[in-house]
Amino acid sequence: MTVPVADQDAALAFYTGVLGCEVRYDVEVWPGARMIEVVPPGSAVGLVLLPPDSPLPVAVRLGTPDADAAHARLRDVEGVVLHNDEVLRWEGVPPMFHFSDPQGNGLVYLEDAPGD
């Protein structure tokens, strides 16, 4: 799930230092696009801390065991809008793609790491 934040460093300090979250990812996927994901204690659900004007989508993020298969399956679903022509692969983050459901809600599928 995405949490819009005005200052990623301040948000990271709060979520880790105050709420006790662990950092799952903190990477710059391309210049000016920093992705920070934290996980609350005892949870597998990650929170992605993004500024509202981020080039990365502010969307609900879902896990999938196979991003390529999920992308192929959604390609033919009426009303689904794929915002990526293919699964994105960046160093330091799982394979992923952005899409909108038939109601227009922004979603991102991220491939689960083996064993997750």
Side-chain angles (χ1 to χ4, degrees):
M1 169 159 207
T2 303
V3 177
V5 299
D7 180 326
Q8 284 180 298
D9 289 320
L12 180 60
F14 174 77
Y15 279 86
T16 57
V18 176
L19 299 183
C21 294
E22 293 184 19
V23 176
R24 184 178 284 165
Y25 302 106
D26 185 352
V27 296
E28 188 172 44
V29 293
W30 67 76
R34 181 180 180 196
M35 180 178 169
I36 302 172
E37 183 177 4
V38 296
V39 181
S43 177
V45 176
L47 304 172
V48 177
L49 309 175
L50 292 177
D53 62 348
S54 172
L56 298 172
V58 175
V60 174
R61 284 161 168 75
L62 308 168
T64 179
D66 186 339
D68 291 306
H71 190 275
R73 183 176 64 251
L74 288 172
R75 189 173 323 153
D76 298 324
V77 176
E78 186 175 339
V80 168
V81 176
L82 290 170
H83 300 289
N84 303 112
D85 293 333
E86 60 187 31
V87 174
L88 304 174
R89 289 176 165 76
W90 296 312
E91 187 175 334
V93 295
M96 68 177 76
F97 66 93
H98 176 213
F99 66 101
S100 295
D101 70 10
Q103 302 301 312
N105 298 300
L107 302 162
V108 172
Y109 255 141
L110 296 122
E111 188 167 292
D112 299 324
D116 280 354

